[in-house]
Amino acid sequence: MAETHEILKALNWRYATKQFDTSKKLSDGQVSFLKETLRLSASSFGFQPWKFLFITDSELRKRLRTKAFNQTQVEEASHLIVLCRQEKLTSADVDKLISATSSATGAPEDSLAGFKNVLSGFVSGLSQEKAEVWCEKQVYIALGSLLTAAARAGIDACPMEGFERPGFDEVLGLEKKGLRSVVLCTVGIRSEGDKYATRAKVRYPLADVVETI
């Protein structure tokens, strides 16, 4: 019960940080923790159709800020994370997952034929448009994991959809990597001057958002 209390306490503590303390940077250990949190995130079938870019280069972040409506967090947070999806989902992704599953579990690949057929059927049944939407949904699962873990670790974060995706894709050269940007998350330490830090959290009553049937 103590741990569940601490998680709820952390979720009440967190907010979308608008102003970061530029004099404070996350430690290597904290950054490694966030990276591992993203790596361990859940995804449908375990496909993991994503890539997470941790941007620290100051000049690059200055350029990206112009593609994010000049929002200061992009440049001033300790780290800028660009959560990306794969541009396509193909049979190569099926083969990669089967190989990884075999390596992790010790099961021979031929014993995973049934699972492979399910994966292949799913992938072949998706249009390009539906595949893009599906991959984006997976990225948002990872974002949820990131925000929760960051809060529990006392790391401030701000999820951001307010940016020009094509602009970010161009600056970061994502097309040639087979990737597309989906959402941003800035992480670091809140500034004492951030007025939003002390604002009351606005959440609807439990009865309005959860129903037991």
Side-chain angles (χ1 to χ4, degrees), residues 3 18 21 46 51 60 64 104 129 136-137 160:
E3 178 61 21
K18 299 296 190 294
D21 188 333
K51 189 85 168 186
L60 182 56
L64 291 173
E129 181 180 1
E136 288 203 3
K137 289 180 178 179
M160 303 171 65

Side-chain angles (χ1 to χ4, degrees), residues 55-94:
I55 313 296
T56 58
D57 182 272
S58 58
E59 288 303 314
L60 182 56
R61 288 174 63 172
K62 186 177 295 185
R63 291 176 61 195
L64 291 173
R65 179 173 172 176
T66 67
K67 307 296 182 182
F69 308 104
N70 201 38
Q71 294 179 86
T72 59
Q73 305 99 302
V74 170
E75 191 174 356
E76 296 180 354
S78 175
H79 288 68
L80 166 65
I81 307 172
V82 183
L83 293 86
C84 307
R85 64 165 173 83
Q86 290 181 193
E87 189 174 23
K88 298 178 180 179
L89 198 64
T90 70
S91 60
D93 295 297
V94 173

Side-chain angles (χ1 to χ4, degrees), residues 97-163:
L97 180 54
I98 291 298
S99 177
T101 301
S102 176
S103 296
T105 65
E109 288 195 21
D110 57 7
S111 71
L112 300 171
F115 182 41
K116 183 174 183 178
N117 287 337
V118 171
L119 298 177
S120 297
F122 174 75
V123 170
S124 63
L126 290 176
S127 65
Q128 177 59 27
E129 181 180 1
K130 288 183 177 180
E132 291 174 1
V133 172
W134 182 84
C135 287
E136 288 203 3
K137 289 180 178 179
Q138 309 313 305
V139 171
Y140 275 94
I141 293 174
L143 174 64
S145 297
L146 174 66
L147 293 175
T148 302
R152 183 65 183 88
I155 298 170
D156 289 296
C158 182
M160 303 171 65
E161 288 187 313
F163 69 102

Side-chain angles (χ1 to χ4, degrees), residues 7-25:
I7 292 173
L8 291 177
K9 181 179 178 181
L11 292 176
N12 274 293
W13 169 83
R14 71 152 302 277
Y15 72 107
T17 306
K18 299 296 190 294
Q19 187 176 347
F20 288 88
D21 188 333
T22 57
S23 69
K24 297 178 180 178
K25 301 296 182 183

Side-chain angles (χ1 to χ4, degrees), residues 12-56:
N12 274 293
W13 169 83
R14 71 152 302 277
Y15 72 107
T17 306
K18 299 296 190 294
Q19 187 176 347
F20 288 88
D21 188 333
T22 57
S23 69
K24 297 178 180 178
K25 301 296 182 183
L26 297 181
S27 68
D28 290 343
Q30 288 174 311
V31 175
S32 294
F33 166 75
L34 295 178
K35 290 178 178 179
E36 190 67 1
T37 292
L38 287 166
R39 188 184 75 86
L40 293 173
S41 180
S43 63
S44 184
F45 293 112
F47 261 122
Q48 306 161 68
W50 49 43
K51 189 85 168 186
F52 309 113
L53 308 179
F54 280 65
I55 313 296
T56 58

